[in-house]
Amino acid sequence: TSKVSSKCLLTDSRMSGGISASIATSRLRAEGMGSNDHAVPFLEQDYEALRQECLETGCLFQDPSFLAEPPSLGFKELAPFSAKTRDVEWMRPTELTDDPQFILGGATRTDICQGALGDCWLLAAIASLTLNERLLHRVVPHGQSFQEDYAGIFHFQFWQFGEWVDVVIDDRLPTKNGEIMFVHSAEGNEFWSALLEKAYAKLNGSYEALSGGSTTEGFEDFTGGVSEMYELRKAPRDLYRIIGKALDRGSLLGCSIDITSALDMESVTFKKLVKGHAYSVTGLKKVDYQGQGERLIRVRNPWGQVEWTGAWSDNSPEWDELDPSEREDLHLKMEDGEFWMSFQEFLRQFSRLEICNLTADALSEDGLSHWNTIKFHGMWRRGSTAGGCRNHPNTFWINPQYKITLLEEDDDPEDEEVACSFLVALMQKDRRRYRKQGQDMHTIGFAIYEIPEEYRGCQNVHLKKDFFLTHSSCARSETFVNLREVSNRLRLPPGEYLIVPSTFESGQEADFVLRVFTEKQSETEELDDEISADLEDEDDISEDDIEDSFKSMFSQLAGEDMEISVRELRTILNRVVTRHEDLKTDGFSMESCRTMVSLMDKDGTARLGLVEFQMLWNKIRKWLVIYREYDMDKSGSMSSYEMRLAVESAGFKLNNRLNQVLVARYAENEAIDFDNFICCLVKLEALFRSFQQLDKEGEGVAEMNIAEWLYMTMCG
């Protein structure tokens, strides 16, 4: 038996466009595309080129990819012809005021006043961003104005699922009665925040797609950081220290009050806190109050008004007890909508705190300690990699698998346990964009397993069903949740571990990013089977070795020329399979029979002689046995995960991406019938044998010219 190993993709030529685009994207990422310094142009719009074109033609930019028309506003409450979108007029800042400014006197928290859109979560994140000028200007690039070389075009940069993208917009903003509908500045003639919101709406498909969300989502899209969430009813003892440390490191912090019913949404408590509303945390301070230390926390409402009226609010009597200089200093740094409260009161009044920890690239200039970060782009596809959670033991194993090797334990002298701290963050991609189609976030989570000794050090292995039936997870996400991201801080002893990300239900499709952050050195890689094939040596048989009964059958089928054409092969195979009532099939196609003839035709006649037909018949009989073995429920067809096992049993090891290709190519309604199974194996063997002939050095790399490539794909 000869073993062929390939680094190339085996795929139907009709699918090669999407695959080749995916390979090109992977190569660009490896070259640094997607970093903040080298952002990916969203929708391939180049800001500088478009701006230059506008300046040369003297025309203000009109964005063809996010039109100043009703569909850009929304699809439900903000749908075209709805009450909320009636009489909307799109106007440029130059039409709204005589002296428009991009940023006036620096970007501050008062530049962000909420409009008629439920995106307070986003505004709280933008408000926190203004506290760190360097981070702000990663999102809001320098050099934009309404004065110098104004062309009606602006751009912003956002972190999206593992890479930075540059989003171009025109400056036509939705207005009613001359007033901006959504985010606006208290100044009236400052427009950076309104334009930033428009760019983010374009990125997500519409303004309405931004309605409702978690502050952490905005935090992460402005920084590329990783978020943690604390339930304040069970806050850790050292939370004040955690918040202080986070603020010192430039982390972004948000907080909110849970609602108990829809009626609670944005209802105001008797001390003027708003339920279901996103606030940002902007400061901490310890003061001397009545001879004792009092811990205070500063919070901001992005509405710019409706402030806390309890203890330590703006005009409360507690301030009279402080030294006047300290009181003046604390009040001096206050913005509208911002207030102090005692830390204990904060824990009682608010339900949840969200912290976005900044990653190494965001902290590089500060010289602060940071996480080591590794990320993977993956996907769940129905029938090939969307296995669902552990509740689905038959399919859980088909989910993508990632190995993390924890090498160094934490160096905390007070901690006797030998353990490594790390954080796993699983994020589903682009779900807001699908809201127009009535879809939303999937419920997602992950499980972690200790890798057994026999698999340690292995990369080219995808653990199968039996492993998960006999091993329990050693850690997991706290819950499966329908948020964009689920993340957990974990501690495990040094060693090798397997992370399995999944949706809760099987068969749900989405792209995802898995990020692993470790405090100390670690190694992470995707576990996937190596592409290989155990191809049996071609039988060296002659006509003398063939039984008389087979010869007789062949002569009846082949006719006078004693060779079987593609059409004759199709007639033969379809006649045979109809006799097997346990096999589901809609018959062999001309295309699949042509592939079989191409595989077995040794003399280039495009027909099969007696020996060639015998060899093909032997293969089909062998594959029929495998098909029946892996049709475990005896339905007459195979499920996609049964197909994966059957293909491996036939001698072909494929990785996740190739299994996705096979399911897309050969499954119908997630089932593979007999003729498609045979066609798949014939195609695989033909491609592997072609590759073997081209891989002259046996190194898993083939070189070919364009003619050879076209011949192989067109004739294979």
Side-chain angles (χ1 to χ4, degrees), residues 15-228:
M15 296 181 169
S16 59
I19 297 293
S20 58
S22 175
I23 293 170
T25 301
S26 299
R27 287 177 178 169
L28 286 171
R29 280 182 184 142
E31 292 166 6
M33 176 67 84
S35 64
N36 189 243
D37 295 332
H38 195 187
V40 178
F42 184 61
L43 302 179
E44 299 183 355
Q45 289 180 298
D46 184 310
Y47 167 72
E48 289 297 344
L50 290 169
R51 181 167 170 267
Q52 195 57 41
E53 185 183 326
C54 290
L55 292 172
E56 288 171 4
T57 60
C59 297
L60 295 180
F61 180 59
Q62 295 190 23
D63 186 1
S65 60
F66 196 62
L67 299 170
E69 293 180 1
S72 295
L73 294 175
F75 46 87
K76 196 175 179 183
E77 288 189 21
L78 294 176
F81 312 114
S82 65
K84 290 187 178 180
T85 59
R86 199 171 295 135
D87 302 323
V88 169
E89 191 178 355
W90 296 77
M91 300 177 72
R92 297 186 189 269
T94 49
E95 300 171 291
L96 290 166
T97 176
D98 294 333
D99 182 31
Q101 300 290 324
F102 186 64
I103 293 182
L104 186 63
T108 61
R109 305 188 290 286
T110 53
D111 298 344
I112 306 140
C113 300
Q114 189 170 359
L117 191 62
D119 61 349
C120 57
W121 61 275
L122 176 64
L123 311 196
I126 300 173
S128 293
L129 194 64
T130 63
L131 300 173
N132 187 319
E133 191 173 350
R134 188 165 55 80
L135 289 180
L136 175 74
H137 286 294
R138 290 167 61 141
V139 178
V140 186
H142 279 291
Q144 305 189 80
S145 83
F146 289 95
Q147 285 74 38
E148 192 176 334
D149 289 336
Y150 168 68
I153 184 171
F154 293 85
H155 70 133
F156 299 86
Q157 296 194 347
F158 304 103
W159 183 90
Q160 282 286 282
F161 317 116
E163 61 189 15
W164 286 87
V165 294
D166 189 86
V167 181
V168 170
I169 56 164
D170 64 38
D171 61 350
R172 295 176 293 177
L173 296 167
T175 68
K176 270 193 175 185
N177 304 318
E179 299 286 332
I180 293 176
M181 284 180 68
F182 304 127
V183 169
H184 54 279
S185 167
E187 301 290 339
N189 67 333
E190 185 176 23
F191 292 96
W192 72 269
S193 59
L195 294 169
L196 171 64
E197 183 190 42
K198 179 176 182 180
Y200 200 62
K202 174 179 175 177
L203 188 65
N204 286 281
S206 68
Y207 276 95
E208 189 170 0
L210 305 183
S211 188
S214 159
T215 307
T216 55
E217 198 172 326
F219 283 166
E220 293 188 342
D221 286 354
F222 297 149
T223 66
V226 60
S227 296
E228 296 180 86

Side-chain angles (χ1 to χ4, degrees), residues 109 280-283 296-299 333-334 338-340:
R109 305 188 290 286
S280 40
V281 175
T282 60
L296 303 180
I297 185 167
R298 191 173 67 206
V299 179
K333 296 172 184 172
M334 300 283 278
E338 201 164 33
F339 53 88
W340 291 96

Side-chain angles (χ1 to χ4, degrees), residues 352-367:
R352 184 174 294 106
L353 174 74
E354 297 163 316
I355 300 177
C356 180
N357 302 289
L358 302 183
T359 48
D361 65 329
L363 294 171
S364 55
E365 290 178 23
D366 299 333

Side-chain angles (χ1 to χ4, degrees), residues 609-623:
L610 174 61
V611 172
E612 292 165 336
F613 184 65
Q614 174 75 71
M615 292 166 67
L616 174 62
W617 195 252
N618 291 344
K619 289 179 190 298
I620 291 173
R621 284 194 306 182
K622 180 184 74 173
W623 292 336

Side-chain angles (χ1 to χ4, degrees), residues 239-255:
L239 183 62
Y240 190 85
R241 184 182 63 81
I242 289 171
I243 293 173
K245 208 171 175 183
L247 287 168
D248 288 345
R249 288 186 171 188
S251 301
L252 307 183
L253 295 88
C255 56

Side-chain angles (χ1 to χ4, degrees), residues 551 554-556 558-564 608-610:
K551 287 180 183 176
F554 179 81
S555 63
Q556 290 174 30
E560 290 182 13
D561 62 358
M562 289 301 286
E563 286 195 317
I564 290 178
L608 299 182
L610 174 61

Side-chain angles (χ1 to χ4, degrees), residues 507-519:
Q508 292 185 318
E509 296 195 328
D511 294 340
F512 66 83
V513 176
L514 178 72
R515 294 186 291 165
V516 180
F517 302 82
T518 58
E519 286 193 3

